[in-house]
């Protein structure tokens, strides 16, 4: 199978160089969105990988008061939990210059994602897509956003033609129940970045791109093989 042509890889010597470069690129996209439409929309991932990126991005010279920031997915936990992606975004990204941005969380005060889904979908419907930038990560199991192997709503979430923006997700490797933007919603973006670190993830991604072995079935492959928007991979050891 030939390489997938809409994926480009940018390699860096360390996480700091990567964070600097990606933060500048995202800031450029946000500035372009503000110049064209008067506002910009950014979706980011949680986890430990983007911490340096968030710190760099928070200091970029952007008119942050005209930027909305949301998450590509969220664990169904309140912000008081150490597992909350929203708490991490507020602590690291929505600081310094970026403290003026408007944050749109993917958690509602309800016992389950299903119970909070009506309120959450109304909130998400107010976002003025397309995104100016979407930043995805990838787990060692090949998941991205909350597209987990074995996810109870994975086929629906990966339907690139779905009109649904957000879905609940439960999966053996997900820990808590989650809520996630669907692939079709995330592909409504002017720029799509995949931020990964480490040799193991680089090899996993290469296998997923080529459809080799079990990686042929990893959810991230749906991002890599779609033809809607190019994917820029940012990688460091």
């Amino acid at each position: 199978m030939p390489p997938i042509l809409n994926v480009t890889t940018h390699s860096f010597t360390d996480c700091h160089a990567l964070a600097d470069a990606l933060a500048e690129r995202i800031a450029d996209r946000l500035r372009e969105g503000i110049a064209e439409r008067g506002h910009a929309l950014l979706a980011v991932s949680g986890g430990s990988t983007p911490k340096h990126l968030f710190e760099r991005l928070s200091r970029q010279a952007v008119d942050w008061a005209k930027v909305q920031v949301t998450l590509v997915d969220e664990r169904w936990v309140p912000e008081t939990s150490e597992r909350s992606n929203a708490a991490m975004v507020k602590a690291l990204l929505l600081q310094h210059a970026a403290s003026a941005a408007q944050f749109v969380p993917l958690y509602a005060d309800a016992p389950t994602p299903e119970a909070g889904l009506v309120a959450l979908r109304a909130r998400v419907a107010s976002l003025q897509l397309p995104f100016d930038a979407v930043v995805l990560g990838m787990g060692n199991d090949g998941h991205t956003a909350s597209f987990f192997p074995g996810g109870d709503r994975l086929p629906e979430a990966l339907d690139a033609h779905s009109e649904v923006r957000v879905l609940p997700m439960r999966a053996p490797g997900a820990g808590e129940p989650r809520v996630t933007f669907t692939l079709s919603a995330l592909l409504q973006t002017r720029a799509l970045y995949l931020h990964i670190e480490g040799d193991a993830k680089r090899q996993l991604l290469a296998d997923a791109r080529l459809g080799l072995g079990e990686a042929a079935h990893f959810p991230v492959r749906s991002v890599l093989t779609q033809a809607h928007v190019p994917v820029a991979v940012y990688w460091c050891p």
Side-chain angles (χ1 to χ4, degrees):
M1 181 180 295
I4 299 165
L5 299 180
N6 70 333
V7 179
T8 57
T9 300
H10 307 266
S11 300
F12 300 87
T13 55
D14 57 51
C15 62
H16 301 290
L18 185 158
D20 286 339
L22 185 51
E24 290 178 6
R25 194 70 193 99
I26 294 168
D28 286 342
R29 292 293 187 175
L30 298 179
R31 286 188 285 262
E32 289 169 6
I34 293 168
E36 292 173 9
R37 306 188 311 281
H39 63 86
L41 180 57
L42 169 66
V44 297
S45 296
S48 59
T49 300
K51 289 183 177 180
H52 295 296
L53 169 63
F54 288 172
E55 291 169 351
R56 301 301 197 280
L57 186 56
S58 71
R59 299 175 186 272
Q60 287 288 321
V62 172
D63 189 352
W64 286 100
K66 297 178 180 177
V67 177
Q68 287 182 310
V69 178
T70 190
L71 286 152
V72 301
D73 70 323
E74 178 62 284
R75 303 176 177 102
W76 202 255
V77 296
E79 290 183 23
T80 52
S81 170
E82 63 181 11
R83 297 273 291 167
S84 168
N85 288 333
M88 193 263 282
V89 167
K90 287 186 174 181
L92 297 179
L93 175 54
L94 301 181
Q95 300 291 325
H96 311 294
S99 63
Q102 177 193 356
F103 181 60
V104 182
L106 293 185
Y107 173 80
D109 187 12
T112 66
E114 291 80 6
L117 198 56
V118 171
L120 186 60
R121 283 180 171 167
R123 184 188 305 161
V124 167
S126 70
L127 297 176
Q128 299 182 55
L129 270 58
F131 295 102
D132 292 279
V134 169
V135 186
L136 295 172
M138 184 183 68
N140 291 322
D141 59 356
H143 86 266
T144 189
S146 281
F147 309 149
F148 281 87
D152 61 347
R153 303 185 73 167
L154 184 61
E156 187 178 358
L158 293 180
D159 179 358
H161 302 289
S162 173
E163 295 183 0
V164 176
R165 286 190 178 181
V166 290
L167 283 173
M169 187 70 69
R170 288 173 168 79
E176 305 88 346
R178 302 202 180 202
V179 65
T180 186
F181 272 100
T182 60
L183 179 60
S184 63
L186 294 174
L187 293 180
Q188 295 179 56
T189 182
R190 296 167 183 265
L192 182 58
Y193 303 103
L194 181 57
H195 177 186
I196 61 172
E197 298 182 359
D199 291 330
K201 287 189 177 182
R202 179 175 64 175
Q203 186 60 55
L204 185 157
L205 190 68
D207 291 347
R209 287 181 66 179
L210 296 174
L212 300 178
E214 64 176 350
H217 306 289
F218 286 161
V220 72
R221 182 167 165 77
S222 293
V223 176
L224 300 172
T225 58
Q226 53 78 30
H228 295 77
V229 58
V231 180
V233 177
Y234 278 67
W235 174 85
C236 69

mmCIF file of all heavy atoms in Angstrom, residues 4 6-7 194 205 208-209 219-226 231 233:
data_model
loop_
_atom_site.group_PDB
_atom_site.id
_atom_site.type_symbol
_atom_site.label_atom_id
_atom_site.label_comp_id
_atom_site.label_asym_id
_atom_site.label_seq_id
_atom_site.Cartn_x
_atom_site.Cartn_y
_atom_site.Cartn_z
ATOM 1 N N ILE A 4 0.235 7.371 2.612
ATOM 2 C CA ILE A 4 -0.911 8.271 2.572
ATOM 3 C C ILE A 4 -0.389 9.680 2.339
ATOM 4 O O ILE A 4 0.411 10.202 3.111
ATOM 5 C CB ILE A 4 -1.701 8.162 3.884
ATOM 6 C CG1 ILE A 4 -2.212 6.723 4.053
ATOM 7 C CG2 ILE A 4 -2.864 9.136 3.921
ATOM 8 C CD1 ILE A 4 -2.682 6.394 5.438
ATOM 9 N N ASN A 6 -1.753 12.706 2.350
ATOM 10 C CA ASN A 6 -2.205 13.913 3.038
ATOM 11 C C ASN A 6 -1.656 13.999 4.450
ATOM 12 O O ASN A 6 -2.151 14.756 5.269
ATOM 13 C CB ASN A 6 -3.733 13.997 3.055
ATOM 14 C CG ASN A 6 -4.367 12.950 3.953
ATOM 15 O OD1 ASN A 6 -3.803 11.887 4.180
ATOM 16 N ND2 ASN A 6 -5.543 13.253 4.471
ATOM 17 N N VAL A 7 -0.626 13.214 4.758
ATOM 18 C CA VAL A 7 0.033 13.252 6.066
ATOM 19 C C VAL A 7 1.472 13.706 5.885
ATOM 20 O O VAL A 7 2.229 13.119 5.117
ATOM 21 C CB VAL A 7 0.006 11.878 6.753
ATOM 22 C CG1 VAL A 7 0.716 11.934 8.107
ATOM 23 C CG2 VAL A 7 -1.428 11.383 6.931
ATOM 24 N N LEU A 194 -1.422 16.402 14.657
ATOM 25 C CA LEU A 194 -1.307 15.210 15.492
ATOM 26 C C LEU A 194 0.023 15.294 16.230
ATOM 27 O O LEU A 194 1.085 15.228 15.614
ATOM 28 C CB LEU A 194 -1.379 13.946 14.637
ATOM 29 C CG LEU A 194 -1.300 12.598 15.353
ATOM 30 C CD1 LEU A 194 -2.398 12.471 16.413
ATOM 31 C CD2 LEU A 194 -1.397 11.454 14.349
ATOM 32 N N LEU A 205 2.498 4.876 14.691
ATOM 33 C CA LEU A 205 1.862 5.722 13.692
ATOM 34 C C LEU A 205 2.246 5.281 12.285
ATOM 35 O O LEU A 205 1.401 5.256 11.381
ATOM 36 C CB LEU A 205 2.261 7.179 13.913
ATOM 37 C CG LEU A 205 1.494 8.205 13.082
ATOM 38 C CD1 LEU A 205 0.044 8.266 13.534
ATOM 39 C CD2 LEU A 205 2.132 9.585 13.207
ATOM 40 N N ALA A 208 0.242 2.274 11.465
ATOM 41 C CA ALA A 208 -1.153 2.630 11.223
ATOM 42 C C ALA A 208 -1.325 3.272 9.848
ATOM 43 O O ALA A 208 -2.300 2.999 9.141
ATOM 44 C CB ALA A 208 -1.655 3.575 12.315
ATOM 45 N N ARG A 209 -0.382 4.108 9.467
ATOM 46 C CA ARG A 209 -0.440 4.741 8.139
ATOM 47 C C ARG A 209 -0.427 3.692 7.040
ATOM 48 O O ARG A 209 -1.152 3.801 6.048
ATOM 49 C CB ARG A 209 0.729 5.705 7.943
ATOM 50 C CG ARG A 209 0.642 6.999 8.717
ATOM 51 C CD ARG A 209 1.829 7.904 8.431
ATOM 52 N NE ARG A 209 1.845 8.375 7.054
ATOM 53 C CZ ARG A 209 2.756 9.198 6.555
ATOM 54 N NH1 ARG A 209 3.743 9.637 7.326
ATOM 55 N NH2 ARG A 209 2.702 9.594 5.296
ATOM 56 N N PRO A 219 -7.953 3.055 15.804
ATOM 57 C CA PRO A 219 -8.832 4.171 15.435
ATOM 58 C C PRO A 219 -8.111 5.343 14.789
ATOM 59 O O PRO A 219 -8.689 6.030 13.933
ATOM 60 C CB PRO A 219 -9.465 4.556 16.776
ATOM 61 C CG PRO A 219 -9.485 3.281 17.553
ATOM 62 C CD PRO A 219 -8.206 2.589 17.187
ATOM 63 N N VAL A 220 -6.865 5.597 15.179
ATOM 64 C CA VAL A 220 -6.152 6.741 14.597
ATOM 65 C C VAL A 220 -6.014 6.612 13.084
ATOM 66 O O VAL A 220 -5.868 7.614 12.375
ATOM 67 C CB VAL A 220 -4.764 6.911 15.258
ATOM 68 C CG1 VAL A 220 -3.808 5.816 14.821
ATOM 69 C CG2 VAL A 220 -4.190 8.290 14.978
ATOM 70 N N ARG A 221 -6.080 5.407 12.579
ATOM 71 C CA ARG A 221 -5.956 5.215 11.129
ATOM 72 C C ARG A 221 -7.084 5.927 10.380
ATOM 73 O O ARG A 221 -6.883 6.392 9.254
ATOM 74 C CB ARG A 221 -5.937 3.723 10.791
ATOM 75 C CG ARG A 221 -5.771 3.447 9.308
ATOM 76 C CD ARG A 221 -5.435 1.988 9.009
ATOM 77 N NE ARG A 221 -5.614 1.674 7.606
ATOM 78 C CZ ARG A 221 -4.782 2.005 6.630
ATOM 79 N NH1 ARG A 221 -3.668 2.661 6.910
ATOM 80 N NH2 ARG A 221 -5.043 1.681 5.378
ATOM 81 N N SER A 222 -8.250 6.047 11.005
ATOM 82 C CA SER A 222 -9.356 6.753 10.360
ATOM 83 C C SER A 222 -9.027 8.228 10.152
ATOM 84 O O SER A 222 -9.486 8.852 9.190
ATOM 85 C CB SER A 222 -10.636 6.621 11.193
ATOM 86 O OG SER A 222 -11.081 5.276 11.210
ATOM 87 N N VAL A 223 -8.232 8.791 11.053
ATOM 88 C CA VAL A 223 -7.781 10.177 10.896
ATOM 89 C C VAL A 223 -6.759 10.267 9.774
ATOM 90 O O VAL A 223 -6.779 11.187 8.951
ATOM 91 C CB VAL A 223 -7.183 10.701 12.208
ATOM 92 C CG1 VAL A 223 -6.612 12.102 12.033
ATOM 93 C CG2 VAL A 223 -8.227 10.692 13.318
ATOM 94 N N LEU A 224 -5.875 9.297 9.713
ATOM 95 C CA LEU A 224 -4.785 9.327 8.746
ATOM 96 C C LEU A 224 -5.249 9.051 7.319
ATOM 97 O O LEU A 224 -4.637 9.540 6.361
ATOM 98 C CB LEU A 224 -3.719 8.302 9.132
ATOM 99 C CG LEU A 224 -3.065 8.482 10.504
ATOM 100 C CD1 LEU A 224 -2.188 7.289 10.830
ATOM 101 C CD2 LEU A 224 -2.267 9.772 10.546
ATOM 102 N N THR A 225 -6.309 8.273 7.161
ATOM 103 C CA THR A 225 -6.734 7.858 5.821
ATOM 104 C C THR A 225 -7.851 8.713 5.241
ATOM 105 O O THR A 225 -8.183 8.561 4.063
ATOM 106 C CB THR A 225 -7.197 6.393 5.834
ATOM 107 O OG1 THR A 225 -8.267 6.240 6.786
ATOM 108 C CG2 THR A 225 -6.052 5.467 6.206
ATOM 109 N N GLN A 226 -8.448 9.589 6.044
ATOM 110 C CA GLN A 226 -9.506 10.439 5.507
ATOM 111 C C GLN A 226 -8.926 11.425 4.482
ATOM 112 O O GLN A 226 -7.762 11.791 4.552
ATOM 113 C CB GLN A 226 -10.247 11.173 6.639
ATOM 114 C CG GLN A 226 -9.347 11.955 7.591
ATOM 115 C CD GLN A 226 -8.850 13.277 7.062
ATOM 116 O OE1 GLN A 226 -9.514 13.935 6.257
ATOM 117 N NE2 GLN A 226 -7.676 13.691 7.514
ATOM 118 N N VAL A 231 -3.191 16.149 7.406
ATOM 119 C CA VAL A 231 -2.773 15.952 8.791
ATOM 120 C C VAL A 231 -1.287 16.295 8.899
ATOM 121 O O VAL A 231 -0.463 15.749 8.165
ATOM 122 C CB VAL A 231 -2.989 14.497 9.249
ATOM 123 C CG1 VAL A 231 -2.550 14.309 10.696
ATOM 124 C CG2 VAL A 231 -4.445 14.087 9.076
ATOM 125 N N VAL A 233 1.763 15.922 11.317
ATOM 126 C CA VAL A 233 2.253 15.225 12.492
ATOM 127 C C VAL A 233 3.452 15.982 13.055
ATOM 128 O O VAL A 233 4.404 16.294 12.311
ATOM 129 C CB VAL A 233 2.675 13.774 12.144
ATOM 130 C CG1 VAL A 233 3.266 13.077 13.367
ATOM 131 C CG2 VAL A 233 1.489 12.992 11.596
#
